[in-house]
Amino acid sequence: MEVGFLGLGIMGKAMAANLLRHGFRVTVWNRTLSKCDELVAMGAAVGDTPASVVAKCKYTIAMLSDPSAALSVVFDKDGVLEQIGEGKGYVDMSTVDAATSCKISEAVKQKGGAFVEAPVSGSKKPAEDGQLVILAAGDKALYDDMVPAFDVLGKKSFFLGEMGNGAKMKLVVNMIMGSMMNAFSEGLCLADKSGLSPQTLLDVLDLGAIANPMFKMKGPSMLQGSYNPAFPLKHQQKDMRLALSLGDENAVSMPVAAASNEAFKKARSLGLGDLDFSVVHEVLKGTGGSG
Ligand SMILES: NC(=O)C1=CN([C@@H]2O[C@H](COP(=O)(O)OP(=O)(O)OC[C@H]3O[C@@H](n4cnc5c(N)ncnc54)[C@H](OP(=O)(O)O)[C@@H]3O)[C@@H](O)[C@H]2O)C=CC1
Ligand SMILES: O=CC(=O)O
């Protein structure tokens, strides 16, 4: 199967590499073109623009930072829309809001193409290991065509029905994850300041009913003050913002998420947005990342 792949950030690079390893023919494009080099060394072809990738490939996947990037790659000059049409499919796996997905879907459909939104749950390591959880919605025939690729990228894919449901599901999941990260971080601080060993807290948590892979994976590096980005904080804050907006639309009160968003915003204001989202721990510790 031949696919185009737009966006080779932390996630896109790992996902495109996985497709190549599994025998897919992949044509890549990234705004910063030099990021294509590693994939080319693995056998990928390169397109000069999103439009040229879509012109070449029947199916094109995108993995971009946020709604503005997702819209730009479709609607701007040399964008997806210039070449999408009958018999072609576009699959956006970025985390965006439902309105962004719907806008892209309408435009692609007007050109005769098919569109699926398919945001993912799971970070850098699951992307490398093909263990993502795929939250797809939109054109069911295109979804069915993409199953071989989804099977390589993920451990499970859900088809959630009408356009926007994938985006909403992803935002709900990440709203919970961001709130959990704040509660976890506060707990580590409270243990430390009240004379307990935070490491022992990690051991206790891991044996109980609230044990989870995120605490297990992030806890030790948070205690070391190490925040190499797997999931950049700026993206987690974007997801909290979009989830809170979904809450506004549906009159759902979310005080815990709102407080967590404030902590993520504070971290961004301190210049920590490119580090892993667990760096919010430094804000809650009151050090602002300075030690
Ligand atoms: N990292 C993670 O753990 C996870 C991330 N996600 C979501 O996946 C998406 C990608 O995340 P991630 O790979 O971590 O992000 P990165 O910040 O590592 O990569 C972002 C990508 O978007 C591109 N981009 C940004 N702005 C534009 C623009 N205006 N036009 C064209 N391209 C643009 C970047 O290009 P350039 O290289 O030129 O900057 C890069 O390829 C996000 O929506 C994120 O929320 C979902 C699950 C997990
Ligand atoms: O969006 C981030 C993730 O870990 O999932």
Short mmCIF file of all heavy atoms in Angstrom, two decimals, residues 67-68 70-72 74-76 80-81 84 90 92 96-111 115 117 163-164 167:
data_model
loop_
_atom_site.label_atom_id
_atom_site.label_comp_id
_atom_site.label_asym_id
_atom_site.label_seq_id
_atom_site.Cartn_x
_atom_site.Cartn_y
_atom_site.Cartn_z
N PRO A 67 -4.88 22.92 15.46
CA PRO A 67 -5.87 23.28 14.43
C PRO A 67 -5.31 24.20 13.36
O PRO A 67 -5.57 24.02 12.16
CB PRO A 67 -6.99 23.97 15.24
CG PRO A 67 -6.92 23.33 16.59
CD PRO A 67 -5.44 23.09 16.82
N SER A 68 -4.52 25.18 13.78
CA SER A 68 -4.03 26.13 12.77
C SER A 68 -3.10 25.43 11.76
O SER A 68 -3.18 25.70 10.55
CB SER A 68 -3.39 27.31 13.52
OG SER A 68 -2.16 27.61 13.04
N ALA A 70 -3.22 22.20 11.00
CA ALA A 70 -4.06 21.27 10.22
C ALA A 70 -4.79 22.01 9.10
O ALA A 70 -4.89 21.52 7.96
CB ALA A 70 -5.05 20.58 11.15
N LEU A 71 -5.29 23.21 9.42
CA LEU A 71 -6.01 24.00 8.41
C LEU A 71 -5.06 24.54 7.35
O LEU A 71 -5.36 24.51 6.16
CB LEU A 71 -6.76 25.16 9.10
CG LEU A 71 -7.93 24.73 10.00
CD1 LEU A 71 -8.43 25.91 10.83
CD2 LEU A 71 -9.08 24.14 9.18
N SER A 72 -3.91 25.00 7.79
CA SER A 72 -2.94 25.58 6.86
C SER A 72 -2.50 24.56 5.80
O SER A 72 -2.43 24.87 4.60
CB SER A 72 -1.75 26.10 7.68
OG SER A 72 -0.64 26.28 6.87
N VAL A 74 -4.06 22.11 4.65
CA VAL A 74 -5.14 21.79 3.70
C VAL A 74 -5.48 22.98 2.80
O VAL A 74 -5.56 22.85 1.58
CB VAL A 74 -6.42 21.34 4.47
CG1 VAL A 74 -7.61 21.20 3.52
CG2 VAL A 74 -6.15 20.02 5.19
N PHE A 75 -5.65 24.17 3.42
CA PHE A 75 -6.26 25.28 2.68
C PHE A 75 -5.25 26.24 2.05
O PHE A 75 -5.59 26.98 1.14
CB PHE A 75 -7.19 26.09 3.61
CG PHE A 75 -8.44 25.33 3.98
CD1 PHE A 75 -8.52 24.63 5.18
CD2 PHE A 75 -9.53 25.29 3.12
CE1 PHE A 75 -9.67 23.91 5.51
CE2 PHE A 75 -10.68 24.59 3.44
CZ PHE A 75 -10.75 23.89 4.64
N ASP A 76 -4.01 26.29 2.54
CA ASP A 76 -3.05 27.27 2.01
C ASP A 76 -2.57 26.86 0.61
O ASP A 76 -2.82 25.76 0.14
CB ASP A 76 -1.85 27.41 2.95
CG ASP A 76 -2.22 28.20 4.21
OD1 ASP A 76 -3.39 28.63 4.32
OD2 ASP A 76 -1.34 28.36 5.08
N VAL A 80 -3.29 20.49 0.53
CA VAL A 80 -3.98 19.23 0.20
C VAL A 80 -5.13 19.45 -0.78
O VAL A 80 -5.34 18.68 -1.72
CB VAL A 80 -4.51 18.60 1.51
CG1 VAL A 80 -5.48 17.45 1.24
CG2 VAL A 80 -3.34 18.15 2.39
N LEU A 81 -5.88 20.54 -0.56
CA LEU A 81 -7.09 20.77 -1.34
C LEU A 81 -6.82 20.92 -2.84
O LEU A 81 -7.69 20.63 -3.65
CB LEU A 81 -7.77 22.04 -0.81
CG LEU A 81 -9.28 21.99 -0.60
CD1 LEU A 81 -9.73 20.74 0.11
CD2 LEU A 81 -9.74 23.23 0.15
N ILE A 84 -6.64 17.03 -3.90
CA ILE A 84 -7.56 15.98 -3.43
C ILE A 84 -8.73 15.90 -4.41
O ILE A 84 -9.07 16.89 -5.04
CB ILE A 84 -8.06 16.29 -1.99
CG1 ILE A 84 -8.60 15.02 -1.31
CG2 ILE A 84 -9.12 17.37 -1.97
CD1 ILE A 84 -7.56 14.15 -0.72
N TYR A 90 -8.02 11.42 2.54
CA TYR A 90 -7.17 12.21 3.42
C TYR A 90 -7.53 11.86 4.87
O TYR A 90 -8.72 11.83 5.23
CB TYR A 90 -7.38 13.70 3.16
CG TYR A 90 -6.47 14.62 3.96
CD1 TYR A 90 -5.08 14.45 3.92
CD2 TYR A 90 -6.98 15.65 4.74
CE1 TYR A 90 -4.24 15.28 4.65
CE2 TYR A 90 -6.15 16.50 5.46
CZ TYR A 90 -4.78 16.31 5.41
OH TYR A 90 -3.94 17.13 6.13
N ASP A 92 -6.59 12.81 8.80
CA ASP A 92 -5.85 13.69 9.71
C ASP A 92 -5.84 13.07 11.11
O ASP A 92 -6.89 12.91 11.73
CB ASP A 92 -6.48 15.09 9.74
CG ASP A 92 -5.56 16.08 10.45
OD1 ASP A 92 -4.62 15.63 11.15
OD2 ASP A 92 -5.78 17.30 10.31
N VAL A 96 -7.16 17.87 17.15
CA VAL A 96 -7.79 19.17 16.89
C VAL A 96 -9.20 19.15 17.48
O VAL A 96 -9.61 18.15 18.06
CB VAL A 96 -7.84 19.47 15.37
CG1 VAL A 96 -6.43 19.55 14.77
CG2 VAL A 96 -8.67 18.42 14.62
N ASP A 97 -9.92 20.24 17.32
CA ASP A 97 -11.31 20.28 17.77
C ASP A 97 -12.23 19.79 16.65
O ASP A 97 -11.82 19.72 15.48
CB ASP A 97 -11.69 21.70 18.21
CG ASP A 97 -11.41 22.71 17.11
OD1 ASP A 97 -10.41 22.55 16.37
OD2 ASP A 97 -12.19 23.66 16.97
N ALA A 98 -13.49 19.49 17.02
CA ALA A 98 -14.43 18.95 16.04
C ALA A 98 -14.69 19.95 14.91
O ALA A 98 -14.85 19.54 13.75
CB ALA A 98 -15.74 18.58 16.74
N ALA A 99 -14.71 21.25 15.23
CA ALA A 99 -15.00 22.24 14.18
C ALA A 99 -13.92 22.22 13.10
O ALA A 99 -14.22 22.34 11.90
CB ALA A 99 -15.11 23.64 14.80
N THR A 100 -12.69 22.04 13.51
CA THR A 100 -11.59 21.97 12.53
C THR A 100 -11.75 20.74 11.64
O THR A 100 -11.64 20.82 10.41
CB THR A 100 -10.22 21.93 13.27
OG1 THR A 100 -10.09 23.14 14.01
CG2 THR A 100 -9.06 21.79 12.31
N SER A 101 -12.03 19.60 12.25
CA SER A 101 -12.23 18.37 11.46
C SER A 101 -13.39 18.55 10.48
O SER A 101 -13.29 18.14 9.32
CB SER A 101 -12.59 17.20 12.38
OG SER A 101 -11.45 16.69 13.00
N CYS A 102 -14.47 19.17 10.95
CA CYS A 102 -15.66 19.32 10.09
C CYS A 102 -15.36 20.25 8.92
O CYS A 102 -15.80 20.01 7.79
CB CYS A 102 -16.86 19.82 10.90
SG CYS A 102 -17.48 18.56 12.04
N LYS A 103 -14.59 21.30 9.19
CA LYS A 103 -14.25 22.24 8.11
C LYS A 103 -13.41 21.55 7.03
O LYS A 103 -13.65 21.70 5.83
CB LYS A 103 -13.46 23.42 8.73
CG LYS A 103 -13.26 24.56 7.80
CD LYS A 103 -12.75 25.79 8.51
CE LYS A 103 -12.50 26.88 7.46
NZ LYS A 103 -11.73 28.00 7.94
N ILE A 104 -12.44 20.75 7.47
CA ILE A 104 -11.60 20.02 6.52
C ILE A 104 -12.45 19.00 5.75
O ILE A 104 -12.36 18.87 4.53
CB ILE A 104 -10.42 19.33 7.24
CG1 ILE A 104 -9.47 20.40 7.82
CG2 ILE A 104 -9.68 18.37 6.31
CD1 ILE A 104 -8.38 19.86 8.73
N SER A 105 -13.31 18.31 6.49
CA SER A 105 -14.14 17.28 5.88
C SER A 105 -15.01 17.86 4.76
O SER A 105 -15.10 17.31 3.66
CB SER A 105 -15.01 16.64 6.97
OG SER A 105 -15.88 15.71 6.40
N GLU A 106 -15.67 18.99 5.06
CA GLU A 106 -16.55 19.61 4.07
C GLU A 106 -15.78 19.98 2.81
O GLU A 106 -16.23 19.74 1.68
CB GLU A 106 -17.22 20.86 4.66
CG GLU A 106 -18.37 20.56 5.61
CD GLU A 106 -19.35 19.54 5.02
OE1 GLU A 106 -19.82 19.74 3.88
OE2 GLU A 106 -19.63 18.52 5.68
N ALA A 107 -14.60 20.58 3.01
CA ALA A 107 -13.81 21.04 1.85
C ALA A 107 -13.34 19.86 1.01
O ALA A 107 -13.38 19.89 -0.23
CB ALA A 107 -12.63 21.86 2.35
N VAL A 108 -12.88 18.79 1.69
CA VAL A 108 -12.40 17.61 0.96
C VAL A 108 -13.55 16.96 0.20
O VAL A 108 -13.41 16.58 -0.97
CB VAL A 108 -11.73 16.61 1.95
CG1 VAL A 108 -11.48 15.26 1.29
CG2 VAL A 108 -10.42 17.19 2.49
N LYS A 109 -14.71 16.88 0.86
CA LYS A 109 -15.87 16.25 0.21
C LYS A 109 -16.32 17.06 -1.01
O LYS A 109 -16.69 16.50 -2.04
CB LYS A 109 -17.02 16.10 1.21
CG LYS A 109 -16.86 14.87 2.10
CD LYS A 109 -18.14 14.45 2.78
CE LYS A 109 -18.56 15.41 3.84
NZ LYS A 109 -19.62 14.96 4.74
N GLN A 110 -16.27 18.39 -0.87
CA GLN A 110 -16.67 19.24 -2.01
C GLN A 110 -15.80 19.01 -3.23
O GLN A 110 -16.25 19.17 -4.35
CB GLN A 110 -16.56 20.71 -1.60
CG GLN A 110 -17.88 21.26 -1.11
CD GLN A 110 -17.88 22.78 -1.01
OE1 GLN A 110 -16.91 23.42 -1.41
NE2 GLN A 110 -18.93 23.32 -0.45
N LYS A 111 -14.57 18.60 -2.99
CA LYS A 111 -13.65 18.30 -4.10
C LYS A 111 -13.81 16.87 -4.60
O LYS A 111 -13.07 16.42 -5.48
CB LYS A 111 -12.20 18.51 -3.66
CG LYS A 111 -11.84 19.95 -3.41
CD LYS A 111 -11.54 20.62 -4.74
CE LYS A 111 -10.55 21.73 -4.58
NZ LYS A 111 -9.91 22.05 -5.85
N PHE A 115 -12.68 11.87 3.64
CA PHE A 115 -11.90 12.32 4.79
C PHE A 115 -12.26 11.53 6.05
O PHE A 115 -13.43 11.25 6.32
CB PHE A 115 -12.17 13.82 5.04
CG PHE A 115 -11.40 14.37 6.23
CD1 PHE A 115 -10.01 14.44 6.21
CD2 PHE A 115 -12.06 14.80 7.37
CE1 PHE A 115 -9.29 14.93 7.30
CE2 PHE A 115 -11.35 15.30 8.47
CZ PHE A 115 -9.97 15.36 8.43
N GLU A 117 -11.10 11.69 10.24
CA GLU A 117 -10.27 12.19 11.35
C GLU A 117 -9.90 10.97 12.18
O GLU A 117 -10.71 10.07 12.36
CB GLU A 117 -11.04 13.21 12.20
CG GLU A 117 -12.31 12.62 12.81
CD GLU A 117 -12.98 13.48 13.87
OE1 GLU A 117 -12.48 14.56 14.21
OE2 GLU A 117 -14.04 13.02 14.37
N MET A 163 -18.42 12.63 11.83
CA MET A 163 -17.27 13.53 11.88
C MET A 163 -17.31 14.40 13.14
O MET A 163 -18.36 14.96 13.46
CB MET A 163 -17.28 14.41 10.62
CG MET A 163 -16.11 15.34 10.50
SD MET A 163 -14.52 14.49 10.56
CE MET A 163 -14.65 13.38 9.16
N GLY A 164 -16.19 14.48 13.83
CA GLY A 164 -16.11 15.26 15.07
C GLY A 164 -16.05 14.37 16.30
O GLY A 164 -15.51 14.76 17.34
N ALA A 167 -12.40 13.62 17.34
CA ALA A 167 -11.79 14.78 18.01
C ALA A 167 -12.32 14.92 19.43
O ALA A 167 -11.55 15.12 20.38
CB ALA A 167 -12.07 16.05 17.21
#
